[in-house]
Amino acid sequence: MSALSTSARSRWGRLSDAARRWIDSDLARDFRSSPVALFALVVVSLYVLAASFPSLVAPHPVFDLSTLDFADAFRPPAWLEGGSWRFVLGADDQGRDVLSAIIYGLRVSLFVSVAAVALSVAIGVSLGLIAGFYGGWIDSLIMRVADVQLTFPAMLVAVLFDGLLRSAFGEQAHQRHAISIIIVAIALSGWVQYARTVRGSTLVVSRHNYVLAARMMGQPTGFILFRHILPNVATPVFVIATIQLAVAIILEATLSFVGLGVPPTQPSLGTLIRVGNGYLLSGEWWLAMFPGFALLFLVLAVNLLGDFLRDALNPSLK
Amino acid sequence: MLKPTWRGLAGIILSTGLLVSSGPAWTKTLRIGAQADAGTMDPQAQNIQTTITLLSMIYEPLITRDKALNKAPALAESWTQTNPTTWRFKLRPGVKFHDGSALSSADVAFTILRAQGATSQFASYVAGLTVTPVDDLTFDIVSPRPDQLLPDKLLYVPIMSKLWSEKNNALTPQNLKDKQESYTALNANGTGPYRLASRAPDSKTVLQRVPQYWGPLDGDITEVVWTPIASDPTRVAALLSGELDIVIDVPAQDVARLQQNADLKIAKVDEFRTIFFGFDLKSDKLKYADTDRNPFKDVRVRQAINLAVDRDAVVRTVMRGLASPTTQILAPGNVGYDPALDRTVTTNRERARQLLAEAGYPNGFGFTFDCPNDRYVNDEQVCKTMATMMSQIGLKPTLNAMPRARYFPKIWDRDTSMYMMGFNSPYFDGMYSLETMLMTRDDKKGEGIYNYSNVADPALDKEIAAARDEMDPRKREAMMKALYKKITDDVFFVSLYNQVLVYAMRKNVSTPVRPDNWLEIRWVTMN
Amino acid sequence: MIVYLSQRLGQTVLVLAAVSLLAFLMFRFLGDPVVAILGANSTGLQRDELRRQMGLDGPLPLQFIDYVVSMLRGDFGLSYRLGQPVLRVLAERVPATMELALVGMAIALCIGIPAGVYTALRPDGLLSRLTMAASLVGISMPSFFMGMLLIFIFSVTLGWLPSFGRGETVRLGSLWTTGLLTISGLKAILMPAITISVFQIAMIMRLVRAQMIEALRTDFVRFARARGLPGRAVNLRHALANTLVPVVTVVGLQLGSIIGFAVVTETVFQWPGLGLLFLQSVAAADIPVLSAFLVFIALVFVTINFLTDLLYVAIDPRIRLSDKGGIA
């Protein structure tokens, strides 16, 4: 009993130490001096929380189709005539609560874009490390591929990969793997930035004495890469990733809007806007506008955060 | 032929149309907005109403319809049945194609032969026919068996020029095989009141009035601009902002708003088109499903889905009241229609779950169903609603919605487990649906060409053939009604509603609205 | 410099070769053209026969050479969906997209550069802060949502501007059609061009601002000031001139990105350009169009990049080009 509480206390102590260190850090001081960034951080955190625990936040379990009631179809937002506080932001053509649909849609959007950015970081960082560390023809090969890809805008690359994978998989398999396909498509459109940055830093770092020393001591290459080089390139990668997250969110929404993204049975924010677009003229504006502004605020907050991090952590990227 | 229902209908049509015929003193351009483009300019390559409507302004059949929807002479001046299987036609003299060549019996013979080709989608109308020219303007058409509906079928076979087709190597419909460009995809040469002036696929097709047109015209349009706009709100916005004169597929939800606009008017008619869902009724293992069997072959499963559908809710929400619920696949106004079949079930989810359990699926099963998203009014939303309703009885449907360019090839290949269909009988006779959707597939005979469910039941084939070949109209209709009762009771299809067709147009445009959704340009006026 | 340029040229050819290989593999293996032409119900015999006729039974490298040769002759095959030569399909859509991209870029430059200069000169002014905030919204605004809002406000609610298409077009020569010479064409291009330029305005503005601020800190601008030259002249003659180099590069690169994003804008406004064609072809799995599109876009982009490099040299010969090999 007492042992337990001691260990709990010490864990708590470690946590609070970490918290104190964080509060005292430069970054936190920067945050405190920038209310806008702080606000953006709060907004993004709220979004992430809502997307992580949709069943706790969303008023209705909207993807259980059997709970829908057509009697609620097209209910306007609560403050309008005919609205109900059960459907704060109104209901769609199926009688689905728009607020809940946004929250669950947010989950899909954020999942896809975070996964895509993670994958693109993994690809970009690995290739950048390899290129920078080994140099020679491996370096030229990777960097030439990066050059080729950089000639194409991310949007086109994503649509193209989506189209290719779609044809390659066939209609049915595509339906089943739609989410993975869109993640891969977005990831493949964004890896170049990381690869270039990491390669540059790696070139510099690998000439440092401690890396040379590690090499001479016969440490395995993988160990050197991850232990000595990766930490040095982590900050710019983190900053780029934040900015790229905003791009990934927009890409996912755009692909879904043009009907190439996630299937309509798992609507993301983009899908909700596409469907709502059909009701823009008939008076049910809430079906497109609420998801649209939810998306806009999310991207805006992520961009604010990205800008702030870039200024605070890595002014050279400006 | 003229049944009482037709007279009433004709009255409605006449009252909506303003019959002003004045010579065109200046250019009157009718800008038509539609959901999708005509897929081709080949009049035999695509049996989809959008394509048929646009091409009917350029090409003409032997026989057409008048405003009361009765058969009327077009390129044929007269036709008589000389024996049970032979019809003699006389062509109108002096008719010229747009390229200046004269119409003759040889063109008709060529057209029908071409329509029987493997890449034609109009083979069912002309299956087994042989054309024997007698002289330049006279010919016989011989059918393999007596067919009272032969003239009705010829309404859908626009006549092409033999010479022109030969010269341009367009001997078969939309021929991609020779690695050669299909001339007819972009070019047209008909006898109709308008000729193709320019065509940019997917964006704009312009038709111009032919001054030397052989016939009289009630309409006064001198130029037609056809603009496909896929996005519903963009299309409606274009009408609201005055960039279009008429929209022929108005999304149900926007009708109310358009009605309020002082510059616009709405014309409606009960369309002959029924929206329903079909199933793969052949495979032993359903292709797109998580089960090793084919649950749809069990009538109880289909009954369960039939009971799950809340037709009133669909009509009220998605269709905004612009449809009438039905449980059969034949719309009022067709020969063989039986009003008793419109309400054979009412929504009962309890019973539906019970039926699924009895069939061995107490926990339902997962499957994918296919829908177009740019073909029928609000098709994707209807399918979403269908998914919701099927989920409510424990099934786990996945909706696969796609543009028509991908949808139709997919179901033409019978590559589907459950599909959406909107069907109307072109000659207002229930035999068409029975013959093309339920008989065992035989492309040569034109039987079962739309049998996407892969029904193959020799007994049913026999029954349908018997009704088809019955010469006594009264008996024939009774036999058809019995057939419709059977397929409705056995839930071959789960039917939802008959569409109400809505045209929205500027105040100065007048046109009758045909219940087969055929914008007849010859009747359109502007002032 | 000649070494550098020839190096770039070599790289360009390499890029094109790689993209053609990709396009060929796509054309050959995705959505088997034989099945696409004959339909899934065709027999194996029919397919083999057509394969032989189309020369699809030889060894792959030979097929690739065949593909490249016919490509160089402008033969990309037939579009499955439209039944006409791919090259003509593409050629008909090029003018619409090019006009949209150029007008969009012109708007972006006309607004972005002055706004960037202004915010750099008065970093703490209220207007500057507002402009900066607006630019962030511009970067965050998904272009399809922007287009929807514009249509809703200006077409539906106010009825000022057309919601779709190019309006009246005029034919210039045998290849080009333009909407810029008619009133309805000009009205039609306004909203799509604005939609496409929003992101670019924000981009250019931020870039110009950053460059300006840096340039204003440099010694020679400060010397110029010290020499008593009037502030305006210094700002424009010296500081702005120095910011132009990166702006030119970015504009070149962004022209490509505009064409990429045209896919979305063209869909929203039913603009009959390449982007709309591309999406329709993706939706219909029209592989010949997609593979030709790939080659075409690659060609456009490497040309733009190459021209950007040349401009770079022209504007600022001091730049040591060998260091800039990374900028593609």
Side-chain angles (χ1 to χ4, degrees), chain C residues 54-76:
Chain C
M54 293 175 70
L56 293 181
D57 57 347
L60 271 187
L62 269 184
Q63 285 187 38
F64 178 56
I65 292 171
D66 248 18
Y67 180 83
V68 172
V69 168
S70 52
M71 198 172 81
L72 290 177
R73 283 200 318 253
D75 175 10
F76 289 90

Side-chain angles (χ1 to χ4, degrees), chain C residues 22-34:
Chain C
L22 196 67
F24 164 73
L25 292 175
M26 200 167 129
F27 181 78
R28 181 65 188 78
F29 291 104
L30 291 181
D32 187 346
V34 173

